[in-house]
Amino acid sequence: MRSRRAVVLGLAWSLCLSGCLGVVPFRPGAYDEAVRVEAVDVAFLRDGTGALTLKLQVRNPSSDAATLTRVDFDLRVDGRRVATGEQVLGVPLDGRGEVPLEVRFPLAVARGGGRPEGGSHAVRLEGGVVLRFGGSERRAPFRDARALDIAWMPGGESSPAQ
């Protein structure tokens, strides 16, 4: 009886592991390497509007199909937080597949208090994409730092346009 129970438990454990291998790769850092920032563009206008455009390359580190459900970000310019936000998506991603993703975030900034500051600014972007595998989700982070020419800078904190 014990050997039969051991065989059944062993088979159940094997099935669980084979089903879970695709969802959670055993390779450490698999999700840390899943997103690459290809391009970043930031623009602010004097009327209080602005835009953040991200071009990402998202790779599924799992052998299971996933859905890219969300992109979030935190944007800093010259060390000052300028915007944070999130966008809900529904982009399918095959097992071990890779997709280019362009996301635009409208930004709303306080009127006034802005200043013309043409020239190069240090832009730091941190964020992540969330991949859903059936009932579980995994966040794949990304980071990018670069110098961008921004003609007009807002005066205070800003947020995504609603």
Side-chain angles (χ1 to χ4, degrees):
M1 185 71 164
R2 281 191 180 179
S3 64
R4 185 175 177 186
R5 182 182 298 167
V7 169
V8 170
L9 287 174
L11 283 173
W13 181 250
S14 296
L15 286 174
C16 178
L17 282 179
S18 67
C20 296
L21 279 176
V23 174
V24 182
F26 287 127
R27 191 171 51 93
Y31 290 93
D32 292 338
E33 302 165 359
V35 182
R36 187 174 64 248
V37 178
E38 298 286 323
V40 176
D41 186 42
V42 178
F44 295 104
L45 302 175
R46 295 175 193 220
D47 68 357
T49 63
L52 167 65
T53 303
L54 297 178
K55 290 185 180 179
L56 306 172
Q57 192 68 30
V58 182
R59 184 180 52 80
N60 184 352
S62 169
S63 59
D64 292 346
T67 302
L68 199 155
T69 61
R70 192 170 62 243
V71 177
D72 61 72
F73 75 93
D74 180 70
L75 175 67
R76 295 179 183 271
V77 178
D78 297 331
R80 184 173 49 102
R81 176 181 279 157
V82 175
T84 60
E86 176 178 276
Q87 192 171 112
V88 176
L89 305 168
V91 178
L93 188 57
D94 293 336
R96 299 279 181 206
E98 192 168 313
V99 296
L101 180 67
E102 185 170 337
V103 186
R104 289 186 177 97
F105 294 94
L107 304 174
V109 297
R111 287 183 181 246
R115 55 203 183 275
E117 288 190 21
S120 184
H121 294 272
V123 174
R124 184 175 173 204
L125 181 72
E126 293 185 13
V129 299
V130 175
L131 300 172
R132 178 176 290 151
F133 300 91
S136 67
E137 291 184 336
R138 298 282 186 251
R139 184 174 183 273
F142 60 83
R143 286 192 170 99
D144 188 71
R146 61 181 71 203
L148 292 178
D149 286 331
I150 303 173
W152 180 262
M153 289 297 299
E157 293 283 320
S158 68
S159 60
Q162 300 296 327

